Amino acid sequence: GAAARRIGKDGFDILAFGSLLGGYRSGGALQPLVRTGRFDDTLNRVGETGQWWLACTAAGGMARDGDGWRLSVHVRIMHAFVNYQLERDPDWDWDFRGVPINAYDRAGTIGSFSTSYLMQARVLGIRIPPADAAAIMHLWSYVGWLMGVEEQWLPRTERVGRRVLGNVI
């Protein structure tokens, strides 16, 4: 978490404009948001996700009683409820859309906070020590694991993260 926060104020721009709003380009991820009414309130949604990121990167945030841990498990449960609801919606187009919030969507979220975050920071000229990059990848792999991302999609290293993002984008 400390490594992610060391990127500084630019990190919030990367999250807001690159990771979060950039993720809304995916039609697959948008449909559950639209169907649950969460897309209508995009700014609050981005704010909630930013608060989750802050909780995950806060000192002690990923301890068992930390806010980051609690919110990550909350996201997993929320996704399960959305899937439960949409899987029973007679208008859900299974042939075209598949599972509402699927493994690819969850892996893409983790990739946007880890691999994509690091790539975009470097594009802005931010130098990230290798140990910090490894720590960021470790953090978001753990968060992904808590969220129920399957082992094969966890971005344990940047190299794996780039391969995962290549498959989910």
Side-chain angles (χ1 to χ4, degrees), residues 51 55 57 83 93 104 125:
Q51 291 301 311
T57 61
N83 275 348
D93 187 347
Y104 295 107

Side-chain angles (χ1 to χ4, degrees), residues 51 68 101 122:
Q51 291 301 311
I101 301 175
R122 289 182 181 118

Side-chain angles (χ1 to χ4, degrees), residues 40-89:
D40 296 337
D41 199 11
T42 303
L43 288 179
N44 278 338
R45 172 103 172 80
V46 169
E48 288 171 354
T49 305
Q51 291 301 311
W52 172 51
W53 185 90
L54 285 170
C56 289
T57 61
M62 294 311 296
R64 177 68 191 237
D65 60 347
D67 285 341
W69 188 93
R70 182 182 52 77
L71 289 171
S72 297
V73 172
H74 174 82
V75 168
R76 181 179 185 156
I77 293 167
M78 179 187 59
H79 285 171
F81 279 125
V82 169
N83 275 348
Y84 181 84
Q85 175 188 356
L86 293 179
E87 287 170 357
R88 283 149 184 76
D89 183 343

Side-chain angles (χ1 to χ4, degrees), residues 25-150:
R25 292 182 309 216
S26 164
L30 281 179
Q31 270 306 304
L33 287 170
V34 169
R35 296 281 186 110
T36 58
R38 296 295 290 154
F39 189 69
D40 296 337
D41 199 11
T42 303
L43 288 179
N44 278 338
R45 172 103 172 80
V46 169
E48 288 171 354
T49 305
Q51 291 301 311
W52 172 51
W53 185 90
L54 285 170
C56 289
T57 61
M62 294 311 296
R64 177 68 191 237
D65 60 347
D67 285 341
W69 188 93
R70 182 182 52 77
L71 289 171
S72 297
V73 172
H74 174 82
V75 168
R76 181 179 185 156
I77 293 167
M78 179 187 59
H79 285 171
F81 279 125
V82 169
N83 275 348
Y84 181 84
Q85 175 188 356
L86 293 179
E87 287 170 357
R88 283 149 184 76
D89 183 343
D91 294 329
W92 186 259
D93 187 347
W94 281 93
D95 293 333
F96 181 67
R97 301 211 178 274
V99 175
I101 301 175
N102 57 53
Y104 295 107
D105 296 333
R106 291 190 306 270
T109 296
I110 296 304
S112 70
F113 289 164
S114 59
T115 311
S116 179
Y117 180 76
L118 290 169
M119 287 190 297
Q120 292 176 63
R122 289 182 181 118
V123 167
L124 290 176
I126 299 169
R127 293 180 186 208
I128 303 166
D132 280 5
I136 290 168
M137 297 306 294
H138 176 75
L139 169 68
W140 290 104
S141 289
Y142 178 60
V143 171
W145 179 79
L146 286 174
M147 287 176 48
V149 174
E150 296 170 25

